[in-house]
Amino acid sequence: MAYVITQACCNDVSCVEVCPVNCIHPTPDEAPFATTEMLYIDPETCIDCGACVDECPVDAIFADNEITPEQEPYLEINAAYYERYPIGPDWPELRSRKKIPADLGTLRVAIVGSGPAACYAAQELVSHSSVRVDMFDRLPTPYGLVRAGVAPDHQSTKGVGDVFRSAIGHKNTQCWFNVEVGTHITHDELLAHHHAVIYAVGASSDRHLGVPGEDLPGSHAATEFVAWYNGHPDYADRKFDLSGERAVIIGNGNVALDVARALVMNPDELARTDMAEHAVEALRNSNIEEVVVIGRRGPAQAAYTNPELLALGQLEGIDVIVDPNEIQLDAASQAILDDPEVEPRIALKMRQVEGYAQNTPNPGNKRIVLRYLASPVEIAGEGKVESITLERNELVESDGRLDARPTGETETLTTGLVLRSIGYRGTPVDGLPFDEKKGVIPNESGKVIEPDTGDAVSGVYTAGWIKRGPSGVIGTNKQCSAETVAQLVDDFIAGRLAEPVADREKLDTLIAERRPEYVDYKGWQAIDKQERARGKASGRSRLKFVSIEEMLAASRPEA
């Protein structure tokens, strides 16, 4: 018997660290880790110890004799990785953590943000007994996109929050939620109270299509739709026109597939998740029967991962449709598939799409239509979205990679809802340098630098999407944050960080005066407890509060 990693894998690599025979790869020190969709267990090396199962934060690992029929493809997926990357004696071991000498005293660090990168950074920092962390978030609730971005039907993925609880609830961590840096406390004041500040603020904006009609009512960013159905307080009152029979999503990453599923899944299934109640009710009254997902390149270049693509075909009452002619048109992708040296994940994507192209639609089923080699050129309508015009692309080689080139051939689809899902984008942080082109804070391995000179900005660091751009999955942030913390710790040990001029007691006083409505860890626990209780009463995992006022009231139940 061997263990198998399945769809819910978040790349946290906690399993890698406990494996006694080094059979889980890629590790963070290996080149494929930067692009891997998930981690893989070598069935030939696994000794069936089960250590990885106990450590996995999202319950993604199962014994091969216990997997469900839906999980069976992961037997091949795990084994295929090692056909391409055989285990050898030269595979690197994980790097060890540097210790802080006791005579240096207490290292005080502020973390701005409370999403995955922030929580992993806090977890790494408080593993040193001499570190004190202050974590800030403008919302009363922590966890960022784990709470407001992960698809509601991926409840196991949200289990990583249990790992984060150990970081934000640690005795050396102080939480300052409902406190906005730049409004209630300044960047300079943070530096005055800490040796260093880590900005892990994510990428809260979205990219635009740049086509006529993009601003018509009925055209939205997919990020808004995701935040709406996840109950983010900034988006809970948004309205989306679900009266038409077709929705169009531009982009074919994992977020696009999340949105497509939400639009066509049985609302009774969604009602058992933590999807916001207003979204469940809106989807109950939806007329949408078909969701068309548009990618500008071919299926081999699609941004979604194999686990997400595989899951589409397992949805009850929903057909996944691919036009066989579009597969034939994508000759370049076919050449990739025929290459014996091709990455297993790319070959699997192609095989899955080819399988969907052979599907016969079932009368009465809703549909997710995967389209390739097309780009939007116009969104049109009288006062609202009524149609979208697409232009056919062809793949051409450019600088060693395949890219899309327009052919001039167009078609128009009728639709009342267009959602662009072409990527998140970071926004500038007051007082810090910013790379407008990349949408990130310029940095070297997490240490913020002045782009003109390359000089380090003393005491300022960054982690997560605002550091590297919106790439990877939840667990990718663990290594990203560990790299940043390693830089910070090195600087502290080397004496490169200025001593704080104000102590923690003064910070407590300052925030209490500026923002008496702050929420600490105890307050978040109160919110969490009540949301879980509300959900349990209606057979759900959680029923979220969706307004700041509700959250604040719940954080002080004794008031």
Side-chain angles (χ1 to χ4, degrees), residues 58-142:
V58 293
D59 298 326
I61 305 177
F62 298 87
D64 60 7
N65 62 348
E66 295 177 348
I67 62 175
T68 66
E70 292 78 16
Q71 295 170 331
E72 285 183 359
Y74 290 96
L75 293 169
E76 177 188 351
I77 290 172
N78 278 251
Y81 180 82
Y82 293 94
E83 294 175 6
R84 181 70 173 84
Y85 299 104
I87 286 182
D90 58 337
W91 281 34
E93 297 293 331
L94 291 178
R95 290 169 289 189
S96 59
R97 179 187 293 115
K98 183 175 291 188
K99 293 184 178 179
I100 299 175
D103 61 354
L104 291 182
T106 300
L107 169 61
R108 294 173 56 195
V109 181
I111 300 177
V112 183
S114 67
C119 289
Y120 280 127
Q123 186 179 56
E124 187 77 11
L125 284 164
V126 298
S127 67
H128 301 274
S129 60
S130 60
V131 178
R132 302 293 183 269
V133 171
D134 289 297
M135 180 178 286
F136 296 82
D137 198 294
R138 72 179 186 86
L139 294 179
T141 56

Side-chain angles (χ1 to χ4, degrees), residues 150-161:
V150 173
D153 59 326
H154 285 359
Q155 288 296 301
S156 60
T157 303
K158 297 193 177 191
V160 75

Side-chain angles (χ1 to χ4, degrees), residues 156-185:
S156 60
T157 303
K158 297 193 177 191
V160 75
D162 293 333
V163 173
F164 297 159
R165 186 179 297 114
S166 67
I168 70 172
H170 194 277
K171 64 179 181 179
N172 290 342
T173 302
Q174 172 69 49
C175 296
W176 302 101
F177 301 146
N178 201 40
V179 177
E180 185 169 14
V181 173
T183 300
H184 305 117
I185 187 170

Side-chain angles (χ1 to χ4, degrees), residues 204-345:
S204 58
S205 184
D206 62 276
R207 299 184 184 276
H208 292 263
L209 298 171
V211 301
E214 184 175 10
D215 296 327
L216 280 171
S219 172
H220 308 270
T223 55
E224 297 176 15
F225 190 74
V226 169
W228 169 76
Y229 67 54
N230 270 312
H232 191 294
D234 291 350
Y235 298 90
D237 60 351
R238 297 293 172 92
K239 303 295 181 184
F240 296 90
D241 186 358
L242 307 178
S243 63
E245 294 188 358
R246 176 187 289 140
V248 175
I249 302 173
I250 306 301
N252 57 8
N254 284 348
V255 172
L257 299 194
D258 288 345
V259 171
R261 292 197 315 276
L263 285 167
V264 294
M265 280 182 66
N266 185 337
D268 289 340
E269 294 183 37
L270 296 173
R272 293 193 288 270
T273 72
D274 67 346
M275 177 177 277
E277 188 65 25
H278 61 254
V280 173
E281 289 307 307
L283 290 168
R284 285 192 190 281
N285 296 308
S286 170
N287 292 328
I288 292 176
E289 296 289 325
E290 176 180 280
V291 180
V292 182
V293 181
I294 309 290
R296 70 183 186 89
R297 295 191 292 172
Q301 296 82 33
Y304 49 62
T305 60
N306 276 298
E308 293 299 319
L309 183 61
L310 183 64
L312 283 189
Q314 298 169 351
L315 296 174
E316 186 176 351
I318 298 168
D319 293 327
V320 182
I321 306 297
V322 176
D323 185 344
N325 292 322
E326 293 195 2
I327 305 299
Q328 294 170 9
L329 284 170
D330 189 7
S333 293
Q334 187 62 48
I336 292 174
L337 182 62
D338 294 337
D339 183 352
E341 295 298 316
V342 71
E343 283 271 0
R345 62 186 177 87

Side-chain angles (χ1 to χ4, degrees), residues 295-298 326 329-330 372-374 391-395:
R296 70 183 186 89
R297 295 191 292 172
E326 293 195 2
L329 284 170
D330 189 7
Y372 302 97
L373 294 168
E391 183 172 22
R392 169 66 56 189
N393 296 327
E394 61 181 358
L395 284 179

